[in-house]
Amino acid sequence: MYDFRRTGEFIRFCKQLAKKNQTKHSVLRERFYNLLENPYSNTGFLKGPLRGKRSDRNGDTRFIFAVCEECRKLGHSRVNSCMNCDENPDKTIIFFSTGLRENVYKK
């Protein structure tokens, strides 16, 4: 299982969702833990301004994240500007943002 770090933006969205829609929050929480088991399963590499990050789709909601081992191997450390990059083990996932598809890619 991978370790994880979350940005403030990611945490805020999850808290808001928990208040608004507990059922959807539970589904996304389950997907979150599945990603910690295998972040490469059914996820896609992003392009453009989000290059170096991955996206996971769950209905109309997306997780935007990076896997530290992959980021270092492909030289995306500078692009992703991860918090405390040197301190994170390779088996760490950084969750940058989450939200509805129409909003999450604009950030």
Side-chain angles (χ1 to χ4, degrees), residues 36-92:
L36 295 179
E37 292 291 330
N38 185 358
Y40 301 106
S41 176
N42 297 319
T43 64
F45 227 9
L46 297 172
K47 301 174 189 174
L50 295 173
R51 181 176 64 100
K53 295 175 178 68
R54 290 185 160 273
S55 176
D56 177 68
R57 177 175 63 109
N58 191 297
D60 61 351
T61 307
R62 304 292 188 269
F63 287 115
I64 305 297
F65 65 96
V67 183
C68 291
E69 64 190 357
E70 179 180 53
C71 182
R72 291 181 182 121
K73 181 180 177 183
L74 298 176
H76 291 147
S77 299
R78 287 178 42 203
V79 176
N80 286 332
S81 302
C82 296
M83 52 194 156
N84 305 322
C85 179
D86 295 336
E87 298 173 18
N88 295 326
D90 281 347
K91 295 282 187 186
T92 303

